[in-house]
Amino acid sequence: MSVHHSSKQSTTVAVGTPPPGYSYDEAVEACVKVHFHGFASLPAAVDEEVESPQFTCFGHNWTLDLYPGGYEDSNEGMIAVHLCHHSNGSINVDFDFIVRDLDGTEIASWGEPFLFDSIEGEPDVWGEDNFAERTRIIDEALIEGTLVIEIRMKLVEA
């Protein structure tokens, strides 16, 4: 497994005069795309975890844990997705998981604000146990066999 950095860059375009204190700091919002190659052949048993490599966002280390056959609390036939915070300390983020079909239409999404608080090397985890139907993902979302999950994250003021 590896982390690849895209050569794509985001551009900020401003119209009008920003209010006092407004920041164009692109670190306030982020989007990470995690590619699970060969999704259909990943373990489909309940509680079988496939963990992404660690990536950094907002100066913190994260992984995305995918349960292609669901987590212990998932309904039958559902996949589970969990965001894991591996850095010591706290960070409050509003985050979403998004999967799109081949036309770019959103077919599965879930998200909410969460205060991640990892202590002494123990990761803090939050996600959705009934994220999407496995068969729908296989039938509609795979790009050459790869499942792409977008993680959109935004810092939340405490």
Side-chain angles (χ1 to χ4, degrees):
M1 292 190 200
S2 60
V3 176
H4 297 276
H5 298 280
S6 172
S7 61
K8 294 180 183 177
Q9 296 179 353
S10 64
T11 302
T12 301
V13 178
V15 178
T17 304
Y22 186 84
S23 173
Y24 291 107
D25 183 6
E26 293 184 13
V28 173
E29 293 186 30
C31 178
V32 176
K33 292 183 180 181
V34 180
H35 297 244
F36 290 93
H37 300 292
F39 175 80
S41 63
L42 293 177
V46 173
D47 283 344
E48 289 286 331
E49 173 188 342
V50 179
E51 182 179 63
S52 76
Q54 277 196 14
F55 56 91
T56 302
C57 189
F58 307 128
H60 289 248
N61 295 323
W62 309 86
T63 58
L64 184 65
D65 292 352
L66 173 69
Y67 295 83
Y71 192 64
E72 62 190 35
D73 296 324
S74 299
N75 295 334
E76 187 174 338
M78 301 297 283
I79 67 170
V81 182
H82 297 162
L83 183 61
C84 303
H85 177 247
H86 293 274
S87 297
N88 285 333
S90 299
I91 184 170
N92 198 3
V93 295
D94 188 358
F95 70 98
D96 296 289
F97 303 131
I98 300 169
V99 172
R100 300 180 188 280
D101 67 13
L102 298 176
D103 295 325
T105 303
E106 190 176 294
I107 63 166
S109 66
W110 179 88
E112 63 185 32
F114 188 74
L115 174 62
F116 289 91
D117 192 15
S118 302
I119 302 170
E120 298 179 16
E122 289 296 318
D124 198 4
V125 179
W126 194 249
E128 175 55 41
D129 293 341
N130 293 299
F131 176 66
E133 292 179 6
R134 179 180 171 84
T135 54
R136 184 168 188 210
I137 294 297
I138 290 171
D139 293 343
E140 300 178 32
L142 301 185
I143 302 167
E144 296 183 23
T146 299
L147 171 61
V148 179
I149 300 177
E150 294 177 30
I151 309 167
R152 296 195 175 270
M153 300 171 73
K154 182 176 181 178
L155 288 173
V156 175
E157 295 295 322

